[in-house]
Amino acid sequence: MDKVCGMTALGLSAALRRRELSAREAALACLARMEEREPQLHAYLTVSRDEALAEADAADRRLAAGEPLSPLDGVPMAVKDNLCTKGVRTTCASRMLEGFVPPYDAEAVSRLGRAGAVLLGKTNLDEFAMGSDTGTSAFGPTANPIDPSRVPGGSSGGSAAAVAAGEALFALGSDTGGSVRQPAALCGVVGLRPTYGRISRYGLVGFGPSLDQVGLVTKDARDCAAVLAATAGFDPHDATSSRQSPGAYLDGIGDGVRGMRAALVRESLAEAEPCVRRELLRAVAKLESLGARVDELSLPFLKDMLPAYHILGSAEASSNLARFDGVRYGFRASGVSDWRQLIRESRSRGFGLEVKRRILLGTFVLTKEQRDAYEKARRLRRKTASSMAAALSYYDFLLLPTSPEVAWKRGEKRDPVAMYRSDLFVVPASIAGLPAVSVPFGEENGLPVGVQLVGRAFGERELLRAACAVEEGRA
Amino acid sequence: MSTRYETVIGLETHIELKTETKAFCSCAVEFGAEPNTHCCPVCTGMPGALPVLNAKAVEFAVKAGLLLHCRVSLRSKLDRKNYYYPDLPKAYQISQYDQPICTGGWLEIPSGGGTKRIRIERLHLEEDAGKLIHGEGGTLLDCNRCGVPLIEIVTMPDFRSAEEVTAYLQLLRERIRFAGLSDCRMNEGSLRCDVNLSIRPLGSHALGERAELKNLNSFQFAAKAIAYEERRQAAVLDAGGALFPETRGFDEGTGETFPMRRKESQSDYRFFPEPDLPPIVLTQEQVARWASELPELPDVLRERWRATYGVNRETAEALTVTRAAAEAFERAAALTRFPKLLATLLAADPARLAEGEIPVSAEHLAALSDLLGEKTIGSGTAKELLALLWKEDQDPREAVGRLGLGKITDRAVLEPLTREILADSPRAAADYRAGKKAALQSLLGQAMRRTQGRADPDVTRELFLASLQAEPRKEE
């Protein structure tokens, strides 16, 4: 068990091909790890053991025949519970979707299925992915595997915890405003938010369609490249997915950063905790020693992006979550006398506090009276996107911390605004639709720190090459 | 209504586009199907399902705009209109708010002996909602109509009477149907119309408080609702009362409008750009190509046929029932020496013309009307032949020969026939001689019956007359 659970996805893949172990053994190892750690971690909401073993057996037959579907054939994975899985309940960690079993797979999930990856189960999240510590889940919080008294980050906290704990070799998450990168940083794993449109959003129960992206949680940059290769690409069912062909993400991933130009975002230093600042500067020194040039760059409106993000994200959420009305599926309030009451009561009882807060905020900013704030946020978004694109026409990537701090104690942040503030550095890439990756670099009292690299639109290949160098330069 | 007021009306018309599939998914568009047989995760608003715009819906909307002389926006966008209703699965309607696909057109309608231009403010694309079926056990939801593409056409307040409204709707329906963009059936809901009506003192230029009339399921009901509403508003003002903006329904039973809700409480739909769909971007070439695919307008065709072929209005209207019928006539008319006869022949069975594609080639239609014009066949035979060609397209000249349908002009054949008839009908002969000239018609009718309509009427008449006048009158 320990052997499998400590492997990378590509490491396991090689072992499977050499038949040193079977896909069934790999799945069983992760399931055994779950039995050991889940009572404490609660990373999973649903474990589909029987289906997983059946899929693993099918992978073993292909591997035995020497006909694996892809490098991920037989590799066990976890999927955030806001990505639809055909025949497996999908709750978004909300009472609202209790008992909802989708009749279709999310496109990213079906692509991984076609690649042979084995779905172990569905991971916990903040309700409807709204939160930063997986504390708003209607089914209870998830703990950080490194220190279970601390949060795993969020909203893809279940996915990050599962990968960090060896309960899956990689996981899918979603990243609207940092929901993959921030928990990856807090749990000491790699988290990638690809360029907007790189992975289909079909089947992702997102909340802000112009910001949502399917994200990846992996053990290292190479795994990330392999999973991206399996999931990226145009999908005719997502009108916002890109027709640009995916890159050969693994090719030259170990070629290093010599000659690359990076920019450290100056404002981020002042906003980060000292330990995070220290590790970020150490990463800069490391990159320089590896032959990259690192300049400082100012993004003066960095702090304005957070409110802009919350205005835009909540506005879209208020509309996107309106379909949960108790009429066609999911939770329906009983004891109501007319349709208005049915909708009102189903939503009042089905949604949790944070979701209601954002629906109210979003509804408010879209009213005629508050229109200025919404339009201002849209303008700021365009400004952010164009100034970041301008910087990236010269620099290969931007450097920022992922989270301003290391994993905090569970229950510590009760003020929602303090919680929102933890997304300060992850929101800019979301707003600009750019790819960004968080890589573990250093630690503070045993708690991991992540550094964030933001790349050019559809420049995931170069971005992961740089991430790989940071990763290999750590220690 | 009182002659001291003038009525001011603007229309909002919703038309369901006749695309094969829905606006944002690949479910079929079909009226009257079993409930919930044409729906999928997208049109039922399942979590995570995403819309993808049907390019055909855009094409149809633009074509409708071109028929109404609109400007086509090369860049427009879709927006979300947010409101809760159980027939709206996503709780928002994908529509167009501030950048509609078409703006600023017009339609010229007949009015008071002349014509009048009704200005079109905008035409935009949106999706239809589902249908609620209220029953004893509760209310059921049919999602077949969810996501069917609609266009909404908004006019300026240019109408002054119910007659103008009806004329506009008729012309609009004819054009949209003729171009194959919609069936425009009010009873099936594929054409729906809201009337915005206010009145003002004659000579005034300010607009009064308007009522929006809904649930108008036929042109007739629209006219009735307008007439009632004009009277009601005038009565309120005459009694010194005040009008206020409101939405009113129409009761088909009483012919009266009734209040539904006041407009002050109008909801804020919180429109914002639809993030799941990129803007609609068109090229000048694309729009030009679509324009070139549109048929000539039916009113233009009718006028040309009148001027060049002498086809009367009723006949021309029957021929413009569908684009296929009009085009079939156009092609065949160019090939025959008797286009007017062809028009009359085709228009005689309007139901068959309206069915859809015309299964007879232009050459054969032309040959048929030539046979008729040359008097090789009579009109009865022509109708029979047309029915035959409709079942199986073939050369009518060959059919005439093969089936022996040609007109009989041979006196050697017809003379014995007329004698035989006169012998069998002494009464008719006597009547004729007594001055009842109509008796000749009955004799001719018998000749036609006995020859299955093939006897040449001129020759036969001549032979009857010769016999009747030759025989001495017994009384004398």
Side-chain angles (χ1 to χ4, degrees):
Chain A
M1 174 180 89
D2 287 348
K3 186 183 164 206
V4 170
C5 297
M7 280 178 162
T8 63
L10 289 175
L12 172 64
S13 176
L16 290 172
R17 281 168 193 241
R18 291 193 298 268
R19 305 306 292 155
E20 287 168 20
L21 42 91
S22 67
R24 187 182 183 84
E25 286 166 328
L28 284 169
C30 289
L31 289 164
R33 177 63 63 89
M34 283 182 214
E35 275 191 30
E36 183 186 303
R37 300 221 61 189
E38 271 303 280
Q40 196 178 29
L41 297 181
H42 192 229
Y44 281 87
L45 292 176
T46 304
V47 177
S48 44
R49 183 190 170 90
D50 295 344
E51 294 88 334
L53 291 177
E55 285 174 24
D57 289 343
D60 278 328
R61 286 193 290 277
R62 292 188 295 267
L63 287 159
E67 292 165 351
L69 294 170
S70 82
L72 297 176
D73 203 352
V75 177
M77 65 163 174
V79 169
K80 187 178 184 179
D81 208 22
N82 62 352
L83 284 151
C84 288
T85 41
K86 188 175 179 175
V88 178
R89 69 176 191 146
T90 300
T91 66
C92 294
S94 180
R95 295 244 172 264
M96 199 50 142
L97 276 178
E98 217 175 356
F100 173 67
V101 179
Y104 52 97
D105 270 330
E107 176 65 14
V109 173
S110 64
R111 282 185 190 225
L112 284 168
R114 291 201 293 277
V118 173
L119 175 67
L120 295 174
K122 307 294 294 289
T123 54
N124 201 7
L125 63 152
D126 284 294
E127 184 178 4
F128 281 104
M130 294 177 181
S132 306
D133 68 354
T134 317
T136 71
S137 167
F139 308 116
T142 294
N144 191 318
I146 292 154
D147 175 355
S149 70
R150 292 176 185 269
V151 301
S155 66
S156 309
S159 286
V163 173
E167 294 179 329
L169 278 273
F170 69 94
L172 287 183
S174 68
D175 188 313
T176 306
S179 276
V180 149
R181 291 163 282 159
Q182 186 257 22
L186 268 47
C187 292
V189 288
V190 171
L192 172 71
R193 173 196 169 92
T195 311
Y196 185 78
R198 182 66 295 169
I199 299 180
S200 167
R201 291 186 295 116
Y202 193 85
L204 166 66
V205 191
F207 70 85
S210 76
L211 296 156
D212 295 331
Q213 252 306 280
V214 172
L216 314 176
V217 180
T218 60
K219 293 192 175 174
D220 66 11
R222 282 187 166 79
D223 278 6
C224 200
V227 180
L228 183 61
T231 48
F234 174 69
D235 173 12
H237 297 294
D238 175 0
T240 63
S241 79
S242 172
R243 287 181 183 271
Q244 196 165 325
S245 21
Y249 301 113
L250 271 164
D251 285 2
I253 195 167
D255 287 357
V257 288
R258 185 161 302 281
M260 276 189 164
R261 288 185 288 222
L264 174 68
V265 177
R266 184 183 303 135
E267 288 78 5
S268 69
L269 290 172
E271 300 293 330
E273 293 288 320
C275 64
V276 172
R277 190 161 56 226
R278 181 192 73 222
E279 293 304 326
L280 184 64
L281 291 172
R282 222 165 53 74
V284 168
K286 198 76 213 179
L287 280 165
E288 285 175 330
S289 77
L290 292 171
R293 197 181 112 193
V294 185
D295 295 340
E296 267 192 29
L297 174 85
S298 174
L299 279 183
F301 39 88
L302 180 74
K303 278 163 91 175
D304 297 335
M305 290 185 205
L306 198 56
Y309 163 80
H310 275 280
I311 287 170
L312 297 172
S314 302
E316 292 182 16
S318 72
S319 167
N320 242 45
L321 269 59
R323 70 185 62 191
F324 302 108
D325 54 10
V327 174
R328 282 148 294 118
Y329 49 76
F331 174 76
R332 172 185 284 193
S334 54
V336 297
S337 55
D338 63 23
W339 68 265
R340 284 172 207 281
Q341 209 189 356
L342 168 77
I343 293 176
R344 195 166 53 234
E345 287 302 308
S346 297
R347 292 171 66 78
S348 299
R349 295 183 217 164
F351 286 133
L353 182 64
E354 179 62 24
V355 173
K356 286 181 191 164
R357 180 156 35 228
R358 296 207 196 184
I359 289 173
L360 288 175
L361 172 64
T363 305
F364 179 69
V365 298
L366 283 177
T367 55
K368 285 200 182 95
E369 295 74 15
Q370 298 302 320
R371 206 64 189 190
D372 282 354
Y374 176 74
E375 295 302 337
K376 204 167 151 190
R378 278 168 59 87
R379 282 196 300 277
L380 186 75
R381 176 180 202 169
R382 284 194 290 274
K383 202 165 92 180
T384 302
S386 65
S387 69
M388 288 178 80
L392 286 162
S393 66
Y394 180 76
Y395 294 108
D396 292 292
F397 58 94
L398 312 180
L399 266 178
L400 299 91
T402 307
S403 163
E405 59 198 309
V406 293
W408 55 90
K409 288 274 187 194
R410 287 162 65 181
E412 190 181 289
K413 288 194 203 293
R414 300 197 189 280
D415 172 18
V417 176
M419 187 73 84
Y420 297 167
R421 212 190 142 270
S422 69
D423 295 331
L424 184 62
F425 303 135
V426 278
V427 153
S430 294
I431 279 202
L434 295 171
V437 62
S438 174
V439 185
F441 195 92
E443 57 179 51
E444 173 77 355
N445 300 326
L447 297 170
V449 174
V451 298
Q452 184 186 196
L453 290 69
V454 179
R456 298 187 180 122
F458 301 102
E460 281 84 356
R461 193 176 153 198
E462 294 69 30
L463 183 68
L464 290 172
R465 172 152 67 100
C468 192
V470 172
E471 195 171 77
E472 284 166 3
R474 72 189 169 205
Chain B
M1 105 152 191
S2 160
T3 50
R4 292 175 297 109
Y5 297 108
E6 177 182 50
T7 305
V8 179
I9 298 170
L11 291 187
E12 287 169 25
T13 312
H14 287 89
I15 295 175
E16 277 184 359
L17 298 177
K18 207 165 82 177
T19 49
E20 280 177 29
T21 56
K22 293 186 180 180
F24 303 111
C25 62
S26 51
C27 291
V29 172
E30 185 197 352
F31 178 81
E34 276 291 297
N36 296 317
T37 52
H38 296 319
C39 48
C40 72
V42 175
C43 54
T44 55
M46 294 285 249
L50 298 174
V52 177
L53 180 58
N54 180 352
K56 230 24 189 189
V58 175
E59 178 188 324
F60 279 23
V62 168
K63 283 182 170 173
L66 292 169
L67 289 174
L68 301 173
H69 312 279
C70 288
R71 279 191 305 274
V72 177
S73 314
L74 293 184
R75 192 183 167 88
S76 64
K77 67 177 170 74
L78 294 149
D79 299 277
R80 289 189 184 178
K81 179 180 181 178
N82 296 285
Y83 66 95
Y84 288 100
Y85 205 75
D87 68 3
L88 190 69
K90 299 186 296 294
Y92 57 81
Q93 179 193 32
I94 303 179
S95 180
Q96 295 193 289
Y97 180 53
D98 54 349
Q99 293 175 27
I101 194 154
C102 297
T103 54
W106 49 267
L107 190 60
E108 211 157 59
I109 58 163
S111 170
T115 58
K116 175 175 179 178
R117 249 183 208 198
I118 302 299
R119 291 168 298 161
I120 310 283
E121 188 188 325
R122 58 182 282 163
L123 178 155
H124 70 252
L125 189 61
E126 59 185 32
E127 60 176 329
D128 213 340
K131 206 179 271 178
L132 294 178
I133 302 156
H134 303 282
E136 284 195 7
T139 298
L140 299 171
L141 170 61
D142 176 7
C143 290
N144 283 351
R145 209 178 61 183
C146 294
V148 168
L150 288 178
I151 46 172
E152 179 176 334
I153 304 166
V154 183
T155 74
M156 301 292 273
D158 286 350
F159 301 95
R160 295 292 173 269
S161 69
E163 291 71 35
E164 289 180 354
V165 168
T166 311
Y168 166 87
L169 288 173
Q170 270 162 350
L171 199 56
L172 178 67
R173 179 176 66 177
E174 181 183 72
R175 284 195 181 183
I176 300 283
R177 267 189 189 168
F178 195 71
L181 305 177
S182 171
D183 291 332
C184 294
R185 293 196 179 116
M186 264 186 134
N187 58 340
E188 293 183 0
S190 58
L191 187 153
R192 306 195 283 270
C193 159
D194 297 338
V195 172
N196 285 298
L197 185 150
S198 62
I199 61 172
R200 62 187 173 196
L202 270 176
S204 161
H205 292 288
L207 287 172
E209 296 291 1
R210 69 188 165 95
E212 184 179 353
L213 311 180
K214 287 186 172 289
N215 310 341
L216 308 172
N217 294 321
S218 74
F219 291 178
Q220 230 185 346
F221 290 144
K224 276 190 182 171
I226 289 169
Y228 178 84
E229 189 60 19
E230 285 173 334
R231 284 198 308 274
R232 185 191 71 84
Q233 293 193 11
V236 170
L237 293 186
D238 285 345
L243 294 163
F244 51 85
E246 61 177 333
T247 301
R248 298 180 71 86
F250 176 69
D251 185 327
E252 294 171 10
T254 61
E256 295 178 358
T257 68
F258 58 88
M260 287 169 80
R261 60 176 182 271
R262 283 177 84 121
K263 284 254 178 191
E264 291 116 299
S265 60
Q266 198 186 17
S267 27
D268 180 345
Y269 291 114
R270 294 172 285 119
F271 282 98
F272 75 97
E274 168 56 270
D276 284 327
L277 293 165
I280 302 171
V281 180
L282 303 172
T283 63
Q284 206 62 262
E285 293 70 43
Q286 213 168 7
V287 175
R289 193 177 65 242
W290 288 339
S292 74
E293 287 166 8
L294 284 170
E296 262 186 285
L297 297 175
D299 28 336
V300 174
L301 286 174
R302 286 195 292 262
E303 175 50 30
R304 196 172 66 226
W305 296 343
R306 188 195 61 75
T308 53
Y309 303 141
V311 176
N312 71 33
R313 185 169 176 86
E314 289 70 31
T315 304
E317 268 179 6
L319 292 175
T320 49
V321 62
T322 64
R323 179 179 184 171
E327 288 180 349
F329 171 70
E330 277 271 286
R331 279 194 302 271
L335 301 174
T336 175
R337 281 171 288 133
F338 306 98
K340 191 178 172 184
L341 282 179
L342 175 62
T344 314
L345 183 60
L346 280 172
D349 193 344
R352 187 171 60 195
L353 268 188
E355 275 168 9
E357 290 309 305
I358 305 301
V360 187
S361 75
E363 289 73 22
H364 294 163
L365 286 177
L368 182 61
S369 77
D370 283 347
L371 286 171
L372 180 63
E374 291 156 0
K375 299 192 191 301
T376 307
I377 56 172
S379 64
T381 308
K383 279 180 193 168
E384 279 173 40
L385 270 174
L386 185 58
L388 186 72
L389 264 54
W390 218 272
K391 280 197 208 107
E392 193 190 345
D393 193 16
Q394 52 192 297
D395 187 337
R397 280 163 301 224
E398 282 172 23
V400 164
R402 192 176 69 240
L403 302 171
L405 293 175
K407 200 177 272 188
I408 304 166
T409 50
D410 189 344
R411 285 164 190 269
V413 178
L414 292 177
E415 200 178 356
L417 177 73
T418 54
R419 283 189 189 291
E420 208 176 288
I421 292 170
L422 284 171
D424 291 349
S425 326
R427 177 84 183 266
D431 282 353
Y432 181 80
R433 290 196 189 94
K436 288 191 186 162
K437 300 294 177 199
L440 180 60
Q441 283 308 317
S442 105
L443 293 169
L444 275 171
Q446 286 196 55
M448 288 298 159
R449 268 196 299 283
R450 294 191 191 189
T451 58
Q452 284 85 42
R454 292 171 57 214
D456 183 290
D458 296 340
V459 177
T460 313
R461 173 191 303 264
E462 195 187 305
L463 288 168
F464 273 127
L465 284 176
S467 299
L468 288 166
Q469 283 156 6
E471 278 180 42
R473 299 167 76 167
K474 283 177 185 164
E475 295 89 334
E476 286 179 352

